[in-house]
Amino acid sequence: SVIDIVTGTPQPALEGSANAPTARLPIATTATPMGPARAYAKIAEPAVAASAPVGAASSSISESPEIPKEGPASVAVGRAVASGITDPITVKGAKASVPIGKMYQVVFVTSEVAPFSKTGGLGEAMDGLPMALAALGHRVMVISPRYDQYKEAWDTSFWSSLNMSGKDEKVHFYHTFKQKVDYIFVDHPTFLERVDGLSGAK
């Protein structure tokens, strides 16, 4: 059951049949509990070690990228190994890459996204992360309030309504496409009335 999964001892297991690699993860041989991410990193160790530079005898070796032994990079290598790829790491110049076997449709719903709106780190993260995922081949969409009259965004002519505190509020949608990322801006008088924009129209 879900309660057993949450309260039980962590074990290396598949996160879900739809997203998991075709090969099963190895069972932990140590007494230390191990979750899925660490299990993937564990089976990635031989491939990561094989790709590590063995000295600095030549400039090409000294400039070879160092693959992290933990974190998202090692998990990506572990997933590739678990899916049956024997030599998953490809190095081009100073950049290493791992093939991705499954593409996803990712939607970010955020209160701000640079360069359209930004007050801190969230806006910057929503500027870089969606583009990075789109560059890997995933389909990515960002949904954010329309705080100003963004010249890049066009009117979709689509209206909808939401019930808030017993009152139907109409919302309007704008769209733009930049660097393989779809941006959807939700338009409502609250956003344009409360925030001073760049257009000077208020």
Side-chain angles (χ1 to χ4, degrees), residues 65-90:
E66 182 178 349
I67 311 298
K69 296 181 180 178
E70 59 183 23
S74 63
V75 171
V77 175
R79 285 182 180 274
V81 172
S83 67
I85 301 175
T86 55
D87 190 13
I89 302 174
T90 303

PDB file of all heavy atoms in Angstrom, residues 65-90:
ATOM      1  N   PRO A  65      35.849  15.987 -19.510  1.00  0.00           N
ATOM      2  CA  PRO A  65      34.978  16.370 -18.396  1.00  0.00           C
ATOM      3  C   PRO A  65      34.978  15.308 -17.301  1.00  0.00           C
ATOM      4  O   PRO A  65      35.104  14.115 -17.571  1.00  0.00           O
ATOM      5  CB  PRO A  65      33.600  16.476 -19.055  1.00  0.00           C
ATOM      6  CG  PRO A  65      33.676  15.564 -20.233  1.00  0.00           C
ATOM      7  CD  PRO A  65      35.094  15.651 -20.719  1.00  0.00           C
ATOM      8  N   GLU A  66      34.854  15.754 -16.068  1.00  0.00           N
ATOM      9  CA  GLU A  66      34.771  14.833 -14.940  1.00  0.00           C
ATOM     10  C   GLU A  66      33.303  14.576 -14.627  1.00  0.00           C
ATOM     11  O   GLU A  66      32.553  15.496 -14.316  1.00  0.00           O
ATOM     12  CB  GLU A  66      35.476  15.420 -13.720  1.00  0.00           C
ATOM     13  CG  GLU A  66      35.471  14.476 -12.518  1.00  0.00           C
ATOM     14  CD  GLU A  66      36.223  15.055 -11.337  1.00  0.00           C
ATOM     15  OE1 GLU A  66      36.908  16.070 -11.506  1.00  0.00           O
ATOM     16  OE2 GLU A  66      36.120  14.475 -10.241  1.00  0.00           O
ATOM     17  N   ILE A  67      32.876  13.318 -14.720  1.00  0.00           N
ATOM     18  CA  ILE A  67      31.484  12.958 -14.477  1.00  0.00           C
ATOM     19  C   ILE A  67      31.258  12.858 -12.977  1.00  0.00           C
ATOM     20  O   ILE A  67      31.970  12.132 -12.286  1.00  0.00           O
ATOM     21  CB  ILE A  67      31.129  11.608 -15.140  1.00  0.00           C
ATOM     22  CG1 ILE A  67      31.583  11.587 -16.600  1.00  0.00           C
ATOM     23  CG2 ILE A  67      29.636  11.335 -15.018  1.00  0.00           C
ATOM     24  CD1 ILE A  67      30.923  12.618 -17.450  1.00  0.00           C
ATOM     25  N   PRO A  68      30.276  13.568 -12.419  1.00  0.00           N
ATOM     26  CA  PRO A  68      29.992  13.466 -10.978  1.00  0.00           C
ATOM     27  C   PRO A  68      29.614  12.040 -10.589  1.00  0.00           C
ATOM     28  O   PRO A  68      28.955  11.322 -11.342  1.00  0.00           O
ATOM     29  CB  PRO A  68      28.807  14.427 -10.779  1.00  0.00           C
ATOM     30  CG  PRO A  68      28.843  15.338 -11.956  1.00  0.00           C
ATOM     31  CD  PRO A  68      29.396  14.535 -13.085  1.00  0.00           C
ATOM     32  N   LYS A  69      30.031  11.625  -9.407  1.00  0.00           N
ATOM     33  CA  LYS A  69      29.733  10.275  -8.920  1.00  0.00           C
ATOM     34  C   LYS A  69      28.412  10.205  -8.179  1.00  0.00           C
ATOM     35  O   LYS A  69      27.993   9.131  -7.752  1.00  0.00           O
ATOM     36  CB  LYS A  69      30.865   9.788  -8.016  1.00  0.00           C
ATOM     37  CG  LYS A  69      32.189   9.639  -8.756  1.00  0.00           C
ATOM     38  CD  LYS A  69      33.286   9.129  -7.838  1.00  0.00           C
ATOM     39  CE  LYS A  69      34.601   8.985  -8.605  1.00  0.00           C
ATOM     40  NZ  LYS A  69      35.705   8.525  -7.724  1.00  0.00           N
ATOM     41  N   GLU A  70      27.765  11.336  -8.003  1.00  0.00           N
ATOM     42  CA  GLU A  70      26.439  11.361  -7.374  1.00  0.00           C
ATOM     43  C   GLU A  70      25.657  12.538  -7.933  1.00  0.00           C
ATOM     44  O   GLU A  70      26.228  13.423  -8.560  1.00  0.00           O
ATOM     45  CB  GLU A  70      26.554  11.462  -5.849  1.00  0.00           C
ATOM     46  CG  GLU A  70      27.300  12.687  -5.371  1.00  0.00           C
ATOM     47  CD  GLU A  70      27.449  12.716  -3.857  1.00  0.00           C
ATOM     48  OE1 GLU A  70      27.380  11.664  -3.224  1.00  0.00           O
ATOM     49  OE2 GLU A  70      27.642  13.823  -3.328  1.00  0.00           O
ATOM     50  N   GLY A  71      24.345  12.507  -7.722  1.00  0.00           N
ATOM     51  CA  GLY A  71      23.502  13.577  -8.229  1.00  0.00           C
ATOM     52  C   GLY A  71      22.829  13.196  -9.542  1.00  0.00           C
ATOM     53  O   GLY A  71      22.911  12.048 -10.002  1.00  0.00           O
ATOM     54  N   PRO A  72      22.145  14.174 -10.178  1.00  0.00           N
ATOM     55  CA  PRO A  72      21.375  13.886 -11.399  1.00  0.00           C
ATOM     56  C   PRO A  72      22.197  13.278 -12.528  1.00  0.00           C
ATOM     57  O   PRO A  72      21.701  12.429 -13.266  1.00  0.00           O
ATOM     58  CB  PRO A  72      20.831  15.261 -11.793  1.00  0.00           C
ATOM     59  CG  PRO A  72      20.798  16.045 -10.519  1.00  0.00           C
ATOM     60  CD  PRO A  72      21.969  15.561  -9.719  1.00  0.00           C
ATOM     61  N   ALA A  73      23.463  13.714 -12.682  1.00  0.00           N
ATOM     62  CA  ALA A  73      24.290  13.191 -13.777  1.00  0.00           C
ATOM     63  C   ALA A  73      24.530  11.699 -13.623  1.00  0.00           C
ATOM     64  O   ALA A  73      24.401  10.923 -14.578  1.00  0.00           O
ATOM     65  CB  ALA A  73      25.611  13.945 -13.842  1.00  0.00           C
ATOM     66  N   SER A  74      24.879  11.266 -12.406  1.00  0.00           N
ATOM     67  CA  SER A  74      25.132   9.838 -12.184  1.00  0.00           C
ATOM     68  C   SER A  74      23.847   9.028 -12.287  1.00  0.00           C
ATOM     69  O   SER A  74      23.855   7.877 -12.739  1.00  0.00           O
ATOM     70  CB  SER A  74      25.793   9.617 -10.817  1.00  0.00           C
ATOM     71  OG  SER A  74      24.933  10.037  -9.772  1.00  0.00           O
ATOM     72  N   VAL A  75      22.718   9.615 -11.878  1.00  0.00           N
ATOM     73  CA  VAL A  75      21.429   8.924 -12.014  1.00  0.00           C
ATOM     74  C   VAL A  75      21.107   8.710 -13.491  1.00  0.00           C
ATOM     75  O   VAL A  75      20.622   7.642 -13.893  1.00  0.00           O
ATOM     76  CB  VAL A  75      20.304   9.718 -11.320  1.00  0.00           C
ATOM     77  CG1 VAL A  75      18.940   9.122 -11.647  1.00  0.00           C
ATOM     78  CG2 VAL A  75      20.514   9.730  -9.812  1.00  0.00           C
ATOM     79  N   ALA A  76      21.387   9.708 -14.328  1.00  0.00           N
ATOM     80  CA  ALA A  76      21.152   9.575 -15.765  1.00  0.00           C
ATOM     81  C   ALA A  76      21.997   8.456 -16.359  1.00  0.00           C
ATOM     82  O   ALA A  76      21.525   7.660 -17.182  1.00  0.00           O
ATOM     83  CB  ALA A  76      21.450  10.896 -16.472  1.00  0.00           C
ATOM     84  N   VAL A  77      23.257   8.368 -15.918  1.00  0.00           N
ATOM     85  CA  VAL A  77      24.131   7.286 -16.391  1.00  0.00           C
ATOM     86  C   VAL A  77      23.589   5.943 -15.923  1.00  0.00           C
ATOM     87  O   VAL A  77      23.536   4.974 -16.685  1.00  0.00           O
ATOM     88  CB  VAL A  77      25.577   7.491 -15.888  1.00  0.00           C
ATOM     89  CG1 VAL A  77      26.446   6.299 -16.268  1.00  0.00           C
ATOM     90  CG2 VAL A  77      26.166   8.774 -16.459  1.00  0.00           C
ATOM     91  N   GLY A  78      23.161   5.869 -14.653  1.00  0.00           N
ATOM     92  CA  GLY A  78      22.612   4.627 -14.119  1.00  0.00           C
ATOM     93  C   GLY A  78      21.370   4.173 -14.856  1.00  0.00           C
ATOM     94  O   GLY A  78      21.186   2.980 -15.122  1.00  0.00           O
ATOM     95  N   ARG A  79      20.500   5.103 -15.206  1.00  0.00           N
ATOM     96  CA  ARG A  79      19.287   4.759 -15.968  1.00  0.00           C
ATOM     97  C   ARG A  79      19.666   4.182 -17.334  1.00  0.00           C
ATOM     98  O   ARG A  79      19.053   3.227 -17.809  1.00  0.00           O
ATOM     99  CB  ARG A  79      18.408   5.998 -16.152  1.00  0.00           C
ATOM    100  CG  ARG A  79      17.639   6.422 -14.920  1.00  0.00           C
ATOM    101  CD  ARG A  79      16.774   7.636 -15.233  1.00  0.00           C
ATOM    102  NE  ARG A  79      16.028   8.086 -14.089  1.00  0.00           N
ATOM    103  CZ  ARG A  79      14.842   7.607 -13.724  1.00  0.00           C
ATOM    104  NH1 ARG A  79      14.289   6.635 -14.436  1.00  0.00           N
ATOM    105  NH2 ARG A  79      14.211   8.073 -12.672  1.00  0.00           N
ATOM    106  N   ALA A  80      20.672   4.782 -17.976  1.00  0.00           N
ATOM    107  CA  ALA A  80      21.089   4.293 -19.283  1.00  0.00           C
ATOM    108  C   ALA A  80      21.667   2.883 -19.172  1.00  0.00           C
ATOM    109  O   ALA A  80      21.381   2.014 -20.000  1.00  0.00           O
ATOM    110  CB  ALA A  80      22.110   5.252 -19.894  1.00  0.00           C
ATOM    111  N   VAL A  81      22.481   2.644 -18.142  1.00  0.00           N
ATOM    112  CA  VAL A  81      23.053   1.311 -17.934  1.00  0.00           C
ATOM    113  C   VAL A  81      21.950   0.296 -17.647  1.00  0.00           C
ATOM    114  O   VAL A  81      21.939  -0.822 -18.178  1.00  0.00           O
ATOM    115  CB  VAL A  81      24.077   1.326 -16.781  1.00  0.00           C
ATOM    116  CG1 VAL A  81      24.529  -0.084 -16.433  1.00  0.00           C
ATOM    117  CG2 VAL A  81      25.285   2.183 -17.156  1.00  0.00           C
ATOM    118  N   ALA A  82      20.980   0.683 -16.813  1.00  0.00           N
ATOM    119  CA  ALA A  82      19.885  -0.220 -16.461  1.00  0.00           C
ATOM    120  C   ALA A  82      19.013  -0.563 -17.661  1.00  0.00           C
ATOM    121  O   ALA A  82      18.397  -1.627 -17.702  1.00  0.00           O
ATOM    122  CB  ALA A  82      19.028   0.395 -15.357  1.00  0.00           C
ATOM    123  N   SER A  83      18.969   0.332 -18.651  1.00  0.00           N
ATOM    124  CA  SER A  83      18.165   0.065 -19.839  1.00  0.00           C
ATOM    125  C   SER A  83      18.894  -0.794 -20.864  1.00  0.00           C
ATOM    126  O   SER A  83      18.339  -1.121 -21.905  1.00  0.00           O
ATOM    127  CB  SER A  83      17.725   1.382 -20.486  1.00  0.00           C
ATOM    128  OG  SER A  83      18.844   2.069 -21.010  1.00  0.00           O
ATOM    129  N   GLY A  84      20.164  -1.134 -20.543  1.00  0.00           N
ATOM    130  CA  GLY A  84      20.896  -2.054 -21.411  1.00  0.00           C
ATOM    131  C   GLY A  84      21.993  -1.438 -22.244  1.00  0.00           C
ATOM    132  O   GLY A  84      22.611  -2.129 -23.063  1.00  0.00           O
ATOM    133  N   ILE A  85      22.286  -0.154 -22.069  1.00  0.00           N
ATOM    134  CA  ILE A  85      23.350   0.498 -22.832  1.00  0.00           C
ATOM    135  C   ILE A  85      24.677   0.239 -22.129  1.00  0.00           C
ATOM    136  O   ILE A  85      24.864   0.628 -20.976  1.00  0.00           O
ATOM    137  CB  ILE A  85      23.097   2.010 -22.965  1.00  0.00           C
ATOM    138  CG1 ILE A  85      21.757   2.259 -23.653  1.00  0.00           C
ATOM    139  CG2 ILE A  85      24.220   2.689 -23.734  1.00  0.00           C
ATOM    140  CD1 ILE A  85      21.355   3.718 -23.717  1.00  0.00           C
ATOM    141  N   THR A  86      25.594  -0.439 -22.809  1.00  0.00           N
ATOM    142  CA  THR A  86      26.852  -0.836 -22.167  1.00  0.00           C
ATOM    143  C   THR A  86      27.857   0.307 -22.061  1.00  0.00           C
ATOM    144  O   THR A  86      28.655   0.359 -21.139  1.00  0.00           O
ATOM    145  CB  THR A  86      27.496  -1.991 -22.943  1.00  0.00           C
ATOM    146  OG1 THR A  86      27.661  -1.601 -24.311  1.00  0.00           O
ATOM    147  CG2 THR A  86      26.617  -3.235 -22.874  1.00  0.00           C
ATOM    148  N   ASP A  87      27.853   1.220 -23.016  1.00  0.00           N
ATOM    149  CA  ASP A  87      28.782   2.349 -22.989  1.00  0.00           C
ATOM    150  C   ASP A  87      27.978   3.640 -23.105  1.00  0.00           C
ATOM    151  O   ASP A  87      27.886   4.242 -24.175  1.00  0.00           O
ATOM    152  CB  ASP A  87      29.783   2.219 -24.138  1.00  0.00           C
ATOM    153  CG  ASP A  87      30.917   3.225 -24.025  1.00  0.00           C
ATOM    154  OD1 ASP A  87      31.051   3.845 -22.953  1.00  0.00           O
ATOM    155  OD2 ASP A  87      31.660   3.397 -25.010  1.00  0.00           O
ATOM    156  N   PRO A  88      27.370   4.099 -22.001  1.00  0.00           N
ATOM    157  CA  PRO A  88      26.376   5.176 -22.092  1.00  0.00           C
ATOM    158  C   PRO A  88      26.934   6.579 -22.236  1.00  0.00           C
ATOM    159  O   PRO A  88      26.220   7.478 -22.669  1.00  0.00           O
ATOM    160  CB  PRO A  88      25.619   5.046 -20.764  1.00  0.00           C
ATOM    161  CG  PRO A  88      26.641   4.515 -19.818  1.00  0.00           C
ATOM    162  CD  PRO A  88      27.521   3.608 -20.632  1.00  0.00           C
ATOM    163  N   ILE A  89      28.196   6.809 -21.875  1.00  0.00           N
ATOM    164  CA  ILE A  89      28.726   8.172 -21.831  1.00  0.00           C
ATOM    165  C   ILE A  89      29.441   8.504 -23.131  1.00  0.00           C
ATOM    166  O   ILE A  89      30.365   7.809 -23.542  1.00  0.00           O
ATOM    167  CB  ILE A  89      29.682   8.353 -20.640  1.00  0.00           C
ATOM    168  CG1 ILE A  89      28.952   8.031 -19.327  1.00  0.00           C
ATOM    169  CG2 ILE A  89      30.238   9.765 -20.599  1.00  0.00           C
ATOM    170  CD1 ILE A  89      29.842   8.034 -18.103  1.00  0.00           C
ATOM    171  N   THR A  90      29.000   9.567 -23.783  1.00  0.00           N
ATOM    172  CA  THR A  90      29.631  10.060 -25.008  1.00  0.00           C
ATOM    173  C   THR A  90      30.243  11.421 -24.726  1.00  0.00           C
ATOM    174  O   THR A  90      29.583  12.295 -24.161  1.00  0.00           O
ATOM    175  CB  THR A  90      28.601  10.199 -26.141  1.00  0.00           C
ATOM    176  OG1 THR A  90      27.968   8.927 -26.358  1.00  0.00           O
ATOM    177  CG2 THR A  90      29.259  10.661 -27.420  1.00  0.00           C
TER     178      THR A  90
END
